[in-house]
């Protein structure tokens, strides 16, 4: 026998996703038991208690397939946002929504405009479909440069990703900028608003893009997730809101049972849990103010955040810092994967976690 099966040409260009280092891995590798993870923007308060209850109630039904149309989950989402079921896509996290958008809209060779530094899954999704990524650098304040993004539109452009708030910088673009941008984007280009952290935003310039869905703007889609403020990252549940035609196209590439029954039940419960959302916002806000104060005392430049993580310039090589923090049982993310060697991204944790991070950081700087 000669030769071997060749995978698709497009896969050559794909770099594997680098996830936040899991707590168990650090415990195994370094033999320390007390480890905190401030690396994946998870909710330090844990899941919505209502979601946990809903999961327990569902346990005895797992011999059944999930509802392929996620009726109850869509009902809960439809009620919250006053949209129709036909405006809603449910997905195995926003990661899946991003991939489904690419599968439904991208032909090989077509262009996708992505901000940088930003969430790496846009590039991944574009590349697996043979799309071409056109990168738009953030501005000096680490905000998306919507002017630049719209200037990069060509007849080959198919999709633009707008990460708002942006990961890893926590910055937002406001209503005025977004409206101006949308008025200049051609109607045959799909604008994807990835709003994984929208529930944390305080800035009242932030735009409610669900209004665009209600106005039936035909070329937008809004991605939301249960992984962040709702504390359900391990379940994998997300959703997208968009005009009926866009949702219907994406439905064609969706697997029939993409959202498992726990994720459906938990998502439907969590979205009604206003107490948990409020507590999570308050915990985030006080942690944010504490970290700002400490960074200022240390003379470190940080980017004011509208999310649950902070982008900080440590002035040092972030890889070395990462390794040293690991030895102290603190996991953060380094900026070098984005080309910013002295930056780190730290998730805002509980008070004691933030204090532990700061005291470890102080020792190192
Ligand atoms: C901007 C952004 N979009 C999407 C995701 C993926 O979220 P999910 O867990 O729903 O797949 C993340 C997760 O870190 C993110 O930061």
């Amino acid at each position: 026998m000669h030769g071997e099966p060749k995978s698709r040409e497009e896969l050559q260009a794909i770099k594997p996703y680098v996830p936040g280092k899991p707590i168990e891995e650090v415990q195994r590798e370094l033999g320390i038991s007390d480890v905190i993870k401030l690396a994946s923007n998870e909710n330090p308060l844990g899941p919505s208690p209502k979601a946990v209850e809903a999961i327990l109630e569902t346990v005895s039904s797992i011999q059944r397939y999930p509802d392929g149309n996620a009726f109850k989950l869509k009902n809960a989402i439809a009620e919250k946002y006053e949209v129709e079921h036909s405006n809603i896509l449910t997905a195995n996290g926003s990661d899946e929504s991003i991939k489904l958008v690419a599968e439904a809209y991208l032909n090989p060779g077509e262009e996708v405009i992505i901000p940088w530094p930003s969430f790496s899954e846009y590039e991944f999704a574009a590349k697996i479909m043979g799309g071409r990524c056109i990168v738009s650098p953030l501005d000096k304040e680490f905000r998306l440069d919507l002017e630049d993004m719209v200037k990069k539109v060509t007849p080959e452009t198919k999709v633009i990703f707008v990460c708002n708030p942006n990961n890893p910088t926590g910055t937002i673009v406001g209503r005025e900028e977004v409206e101006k941008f949308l008025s200049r984007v051609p109607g045959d280009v799909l604008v994807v608003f990835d709003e994984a952290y929208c529930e944390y935003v305080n800035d009242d310039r932030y735009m409610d893009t669900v209004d665009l869905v209600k106005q039936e703007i035909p070329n937008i889609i809004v991605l939301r997730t249960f992984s962040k403020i709702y504390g359900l990252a391990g379940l994998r549940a997300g959703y997208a809101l968009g005009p009926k035609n866009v949702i219907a196209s994406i439905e064609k590439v969706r697997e029939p049972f993409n959202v498992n029954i726990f994720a459906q039940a938990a998502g439907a419960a969590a979205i009604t849990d206003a107490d948990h959302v409020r507590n999570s916002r308050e915990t985030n806000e006080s942690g944010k103010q504490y970290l700002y104060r400490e960074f200022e005392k240390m003379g470190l430049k940080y980017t004011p955040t509208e999310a649950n993580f902070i982008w900080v310039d440590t002035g040092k090589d972030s890889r070395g810092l990462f390794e040293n923090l690991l030895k102290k049982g603190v996991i953060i993310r380094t900026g070098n994967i984005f080309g910013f060697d002295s930056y780190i991204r730290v998730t805002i944790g509980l008070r004691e976690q933030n204090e532990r991070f700061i005291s470890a950081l102080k020792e190192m700087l």
Side-chain angles (χ1 to χ4, degrees):
M1 297 270 271
H2 297 289
E4 57 179 41
K6 273 222 160 57
S7 63
R8 284 169 48 223
E9 196 70 34
E10 286 83 1
L11 307 195
Q12 309 295 328
I14 291 176
K15 295 183 221 113
Y17 180 71
V18 187
K21 206 168 171 65
I23 288 180
E24 293 74 15
E25 197 174 297
V26 178
Q27 288 171 329
R28 254 194 331 268
E29 288 175 3
L30 298 179
I32 39 180
S33 55
D34 187 11
V35 177
I36 57 168
K37 184 177 173 206
L38 302 174
S40 298
N41 308 335
E42 295 150 343
N43 187 333
L45 286 183
S48 147
K50 283 192 173 183
V52 174
E53 205 176 302
I55 289 169
L56 295 176
E57 281 169 14
T58 313
V59 168
S60 56
S61 305
I62 57 172
Q63 79 282 12
R64 295 191 210 291
Y65 281 96
D67 174 359
N69 284 319
F71 182 83
K72 283 188 185 154
L73 177 55
K74 282 189 186 166
N75 249 3
I77 297 167
E79 205 158 289
K80 179 171 170 71
Y81 295 107
E82 298 174 339
V83 295
E84 307 287 324
H85 282 215
S86 54
N87 295 121
I88 305 169
L89 169 82
T90 50
N92 189 34
S94 282
D95 283 345
E96 191 194 22
S97 301
I98 293 165
K99 194 159 169 253
L100 292 177
V101 165
E103 284 174 0
Y105 280 91
L106 270 189
N107 294 298
E110 287 181 333
E111 293 174 1
V112 179
I113 300 177
I114 58 171
W116 190 257
S118 189
F119 190 49
S120 61
E121 290 296 282
Y122 312 140
E123 184 180 343
F124 165 73
K127 285 190 171 164
I128 51 169
M129 297 310 296
R132 296 208 309 124
C133 288
I134 308 298
V135 172
S136 170
L138 302 188
D139 71 12
K140 283 199 207 74
E141 289 163 346
F142 289 115
R143 299 168 68 250
L144 265 69
D145 187 345
L146 294 184
E147 280 277 328
D148 181 65
M149 291 179 95
V150 87
K151 275 191 204 142
K152 289 198 153 83
V153 171
T154 73
E156 303 305 317
T157 306
K158 204 60 181 291
V159 177
I160 306 180
F161 282 99
V162 175
C163 190
N164 198 24
N166 186 50
N167 175 6
T169 60
T171 52
I172 63 153
V173 281
R175 165 182 283 278
E176 265 182 43
E177 289 160 282
V178 172
E179 280 175 348
K180 191 169 156 206
F181 164 78
L182 284 178
S183 72
R184 294 169 62 194
V185 172
D188 58 355
V189 174
L190 181 67
V191 178
V192 182
F193 291 97
D194 180 355
E195 301 182 343
Y197 304 96
C198 64
E199 296 88 355
Y200 288 105
V201 173
N202 289 323
D203 191 328
D204 52 20
R205 287 171 297 184
Y206 190 65
M207 180 169 193
D208 184 0
T209 46
V210 179
D211 275 348
L212 301 173
V213 176
K214 289 182 191 160
Q215 289 163 29
E216 299 187 14
I217 306 291
N219 64 329
I220 57 124
I221 185 165
V222 179
L223 313 186
R224 302 273 174 104
T225 180
F226 289 104
S227 296
K228 305 300 176 183
I229 207 157
Y230 297 108
L232 303 177
L235 273 186
R236 314 304 301 130
Y239 57 99
L241 305 173
K244 295 180 178 56
N245 287 346
V246 171
I247 299 296
S249 296
I250 298 175
E251 280 289 337
K252 291 188 180 170
V253 291
R254 181 180 70 82
E255 285 187 20
F257 305 114
N258 63 331
V259 186
N260 71 67
I261 68 174
F262 295 141
Q264 291 191 26
I271 208 166
T272 66
D273 195 345
D275 287 345
H276 179 258
V277 170
R278 195 185 51 250
N279 290 341
S280 304
R281 276 180 57 90
E282 284 171 7
T283 304
N284 192 60
E285 204 45 45
S286 64
K288 185 198 295 184
Q289 296 309 329
Y290 165 77
L291 290 171
Y292 283 178
R293 280 195 303 275
E294 293 299 322
F295 292 145
E296 279 158 24
K297 280 192 232 161
M298 282 188 266
L300 299 184
K301 227 176 99 211
Y302 59 85
T303 303
T305 185
E306 291 294 323
N308 65 341
F309 51 85
I310 312 180
W311 180 239
V312 194
D313 187 358
T314 64
K316 291 252 162 59
D317 165 42
S318 65
R319 286 289 320 166
L321 208 60
F322 170 81
E323 295 296 340
N324 287 327
L325 283 169
L326 266 195
K327 289 181 197 145
K328 302 255 172 206
V330 180
I331 318 173
I332 49 108
R333 288 302 278 266
T334 58
N336 70 313
I337 47 171
F338 301 104
F340 288 84
D341 290 347
S342 64
Y343 281 74
I344 59 168
R345 188 196 71 194
V346 61
T347 303
I348 300 167
L350 300 175
R351 192 193 170 100
E352 54 276 19
Q353 296 173 330
N354 298 331
E355 286 172 355
R356 192 165 147 198
F357 159 68
I358 288 294
S359 91
L361 190 64
K362 274 183 182 158
E363 278 182 46
M364 271 146 225
L365 293 179

